[in-house]
Amino acid sequence: MRPSKPALIVVFFGLLFAAQSLVSQELNSTFARDPGQPIDKQYTDQIHKYTTAPSFISPLVDYLPASKTVPTPAKVLGDSSGAPDMLPYAEDVHRYFRLLEAATPRVKVFPIGHTEEGREMIAAAIADSALLSRAKENDARLAQLADPRTIGLDDAKARPLLDQSWPVYYITGTIHSPETGAPTALMELAYRLAVDDAPYIKYIRSHMIVLITPVVEVDGRDRMVDLYKWHKAHPGQDWPRLLYWGHYVAHDNNRDAMGMTLDLTRNVLDAYVSWHAQVLHDLHESVPFLYDNTVGDGPYNAWVDPILADEWAELGSNNVAQMRSFGMPGVFTHGDFDTWSPGYLMFLAAMHNGISRLYETFGNGGADTEKRILRPEDYSRTWYRQNPPLPVVTWSQRDNNNYEQTALLSTLSYFSRNTHHFLENFYLKSKRAVEKPTLEGPSAYVIPADAASANRQIELLKVLKRQHVEVEQLTNEITATVPEQKRGEKPKQETFAAGSVVIRMDQPYSRIADALLDRQFWAAGDPQKHPYDDTGWSFAHLFNVKVVRVIDPSVLQAKMTPLDDPSSLAGKISGSGTVLAVANTGQISLLSLIYKLKNATIRITERPFDADGKHFAAGSLLITRAPEDYIAQTVHDLGLDASRLAAEPSVVMHQVNAPRIAFMHTWLSTQAEGWWRYAFDSAGVPFDYISTQAVANQTDLRAKYDVIVFAPVGRASALEILNGIPVWNNAMPWQKTDLTPNLGTPDRSDDIRPGLGYDGLARLKTFVEQGGLLITCEDTAQFAIETGLAPGVSVAPHDDVRVVGSVLNTVLVSPNHPVAFGYGAAGIPVMSASGMVFNVSNMLGRAGGRVLMDPLTDPLDPYTKRATGRGSVDDGDEPQGRKIAEPEPLIRQQPWEARPLDEEQTRNNPQVIPVESRPDVILRFADAKSLLLDGLLDKPGSIAEHAVVVDAHLGQGNVLLFGNNPIYRGETIGTYPLVFNAILSYGHLAHESHPSSPANSASAGSQE
Ligand SMILES: [Zn+2]
């Protein structure tokens, strides 16, 4: 296809955007360059040299204008952007933007914060100097449009602001470090926007501000560049995958827009909000050749303003059509991405009244030019991909840069011609966010004042604060009507005490609060069969905090004051006396306290007690000999309330010494464990960070450690954990050298390939047998089971159930178990990736031995076991013509229990696990009817009521197994204490109950 087919374009836009056909014609003619402006011949020649096919370039980027004063990217790169065999470090990219700033008044660079490892992040604003010099006044106008309360929601007052303002379009690059093309594409894009005199570019820079963060994940970028340099220095050898991107998280850094855990997410949102930007456009590389996934597929997020869905369609369709008119193959906008989860970086804009956009372009994971062989699903033609990618291509980083820049320039051009329209939408979305209580509702979310959950409330409110949500506190008690919880129930009156927290929905960023605090439902019959990410995330559930959705508008009339510092909700010390008591109410910082008060004497109570007119649950802490001046600040910093008691209560207790923790990681993947590592670091719980290789070489683990945390690897098999990466080829180092100054952290290895090995497994086993605690989760729990570390536990088959990142309800089976301390009676909502559950057995091997006949189980009632015959289901059958012989009474076995063994089964049976070594089930899923809290759940039969957290006993020690992920993406604060409790009581997890005893399960939850 030749570059320009105006007739076709007119027809296309005539169909889609009848009103804008004239604009489009103008648009296309303006893509012509300024014939009077000289070009940089050498740079332009290099562009052509590095482009591998004529259709992979467009008239927008097939030249570079020359400038006498402004340096091209070659000044820093030594070559053109997208040149092969070279990737610049983040610092070099930033240096180039600062060179631009020094050379032209059209570029201004702003630091936007630092990362966990201290590297700087920047944003560069590009526009005519006339705009940039008045950016402050413009921002003052945008601020009013962003918060229409400032103009009394008055459209008449908005109109002049709309007329006078120019919008801000924010582009972010390379959040995903192995997706390497964006930094050089954005360097060149910045140069073009600042220098090119093509009429359409002049129009862009005189009508809008383009804001660019060329490298979002700066820590990961520098490691990726190191790795690439190692690769170039070792031709023909295998090079390691990028194991660590950011300090904590790899690909999931693009799933942090809910929890706002990572510095990069906070920095980008702060920049977006402080500029009052209209768009956040994030650049990725995976799909050939350019997937503008803005439009994607359903279901769309249920909390976005419908205007946004239309903007996605408008911008996506326009962008793709424009690219196709240039003859560039493989550009499309519908496809395999649903917009349900608000976890993606770009979605910060969608939830803050802007426009979220994302490009997937094609990349080679480095700057090598490669022959790429596509899969049929990538090159096939579909209704939305009429000019699909080519099945086999030679692809270069320059090709990638051509696509990224062409798409961005053409979409910026479209945006610049429609600034009034998009500003109007921005204002309308902001206004409707403020009008939420009178439109769709609710009026507010109320978090009732509750000392027991204050610690977790603080964590939830910190997230809302990072999301720029306004938080307030009731001055007086109020009563409001609360809607029915279940269909058929009547609305009821609920009283909220003074000090309860109110999240008003008549505020500009109400949407993000609503999306996080509301519940999610993904229909089992939804046509979308492959959810792109989690289907449920309610933060009320995941933080285990009561949050009431209030429709009653009277709540907004109540007297309230801003709550500036959520940490003020806890941290108080009451009473007098020498013993300091901290009640265990499921706080996330009890374990941290142990490490902060190393010189104090701390005991943990094993049973509940009452003192000072208060109830203290089992697992509460009693502290003596703590330095007085230090303790007040410490409990405040940790969000803990404490009571002074005159004397130690008489209750069973044991002393706690700060457990020595090792955090064991593989060299296969560090993604899922990174979230755990973050949780430990941010809680102030110290640990040694060691790899499976270190464990293999550690002769006496137990002498050094009390607890080994083996967080999930991410779908790794036991064999992969044992074997690591095959050692057929060359060694793959991960270490700091002159060539790779950014590698070797957070851990190092001369050769990352070897895994735990059988020696390491033996050492791990000895560690547990000698009294250590091993904590496992998902794939590492499976590993523990398959390698014999968790006798009596197996993974229950659950292939038929459909769970995709859903929030599910559980029931405490062993409320007296130390892992359950502080949880009280209610079930604990857990995040389940795919419904993993366990079966427990009192016997090793195949539970129950040979099966001679089909077990008598009624499919309609799996707990009932009787044969067809006389009487009711609860009667016994009575054969005729003989005396009645009473059978042994059948014990009703619940799905979470081990089958009880009788004399017949235990006689001379070496497989029977001694009573003290039988696994304890701590948490099980709720029944099928009440199992789903948020997201997708279909065919729950195989997981309902099954064990989900189990403590297995091996020798003197314990292996804790999680089927749910208790520490996930900074979103599951409510289940952190399950892990921390276990560590706190690591030496006191011995088998103390018979999990199969019906009396015990009946008492579940009666602890408090
Ligand atoms: Zn990506």
Side-chain angles (χ1 to χ4, degrees), residues 175-176 179 245 251 254 283-286 358-360:
I175 182 174
H176 283 165
E179 303 166 12
W245 301 14
H251 189 271
N254 196 34
L283 302 180
H284 289 254
E285 286 161 41
S286 65
L358 191 151
Y359 285 163
E360 295 282 3

Side-chain angles (χ1 to χ4, degrees), residues 158-395:
R159 211 158 290 129
L161 297 170
L162 290 168
D163 295 342
Q164 295 157 20
S165 302
W166 48 85
V168 179
Y169 194 110
Y170 189 10
I171 303 167
T172 49
T174 200
I175 182 174
H176 283 165
S177 307
E179 303 166 12
T180 52
T184 50
L186 291 173
M187 288 164 76
E188 194 176 290
L189 181 84
Y191 176 85
R192 291 179 189 280
L193 289 172
V195 168
D196 200 326
D197 284 333
Y200 85 98
I201 288 190
K202 283 168 105 171
Y203 199 88
I204 293 171
R205 66 175 176 250
S206 59
H207 286 81
M208 59 194 286
I209 295 174
V210 178
L211 195 63
I212 295 176
T213 291
V215 183
V216 171
E217 176 59 276
V218 286
D219 296 338
R221 173 67 181 190
D222 285 358
R223 280 195 263 275
M224 183 65 199
V225 174
D226 276 6
L227 210 56
Y228 187 69
K229 280 164 56 192
W230 189 92
H231 157 64
K232 296 314 283 185
H234 298 81
Q237 295 197 19
D238 290 342
W239 43 308
R241 290 220 317 268
L242 189 66
L243 270 160
Y244 297 92
W245 301 14
H247 188 71
Y248 293 110
V249 175
H251 189 271
D252 258 13
N253 58 10
N254 196 34
R255 303 292 185 275
D256 188 43
M258 288 192 266
M260 307 266 326
T261 304
L262 305 173
D263 287 343
L264 64 86
T265 318
R266 300 179 197 184
N267 293 338
V268 167
L269 180 61
D270 289 350
Y272 167 87
V273 166
S274 69
W275 279 85
H276 301 101
Q278 281 62 52
V279 185
L280 180 57
H281 191 149
D282 199 28
L283 302 180
H284 289 254
E285 286 161 41
S286 65
V287 180
F289 294 132
L290 190 146
Y291 172 29
D292 176 352
N293 89 354
T294 302
V295 183
D297 198 354
Y300 281 1
N301 179 280
W303 293 265
V304 296
D305 191 304
I307 290 174
L308 175 59
D310 295 331
E311 289 175 322
W312 285 334
E314 178 183 349
L315 286 165
S317 303
N318 172 276
N319 208 175
V320 166
Q322 203 65 259
M323 296 284 285
R324 280 200 288 250
S325 80
F326 303 135
M328 300 178 87
V331 181
F332 58 102
T333 187
H334 287 277
D336 189 21
F337 175 81
D338 66 68
T339 306
W340 176 246
S341 160
Y344 315 100
L345 184 83
M346 56 143 178
F347 228 73
L348 292 169
M351 292 283 102
H352 293 82
N353 304 326
I355 302 170
S356 55
R357 298 196 68 192
L358 191 151
Y359 285 163
E360 295 282 3
T361 51
F362 202 35
N364 292 348
D368 291 3
T369 300
E370 311 261 25
K371 176 184 174 184
R372 298 296 301 272
I373 302 161
L374 275 57
R375 295 162 305 174
E377 58 268 33
D378 286 329
Y379 62 74
S380 61
R381 183 159 69 105
T382 63
W383 65 269
Y384 57 78
R385 199 167 53 195
Q386 290 296 328
N387 180 0
L390 312 173
V392 181
V393 288
T394 299
W395 190 260

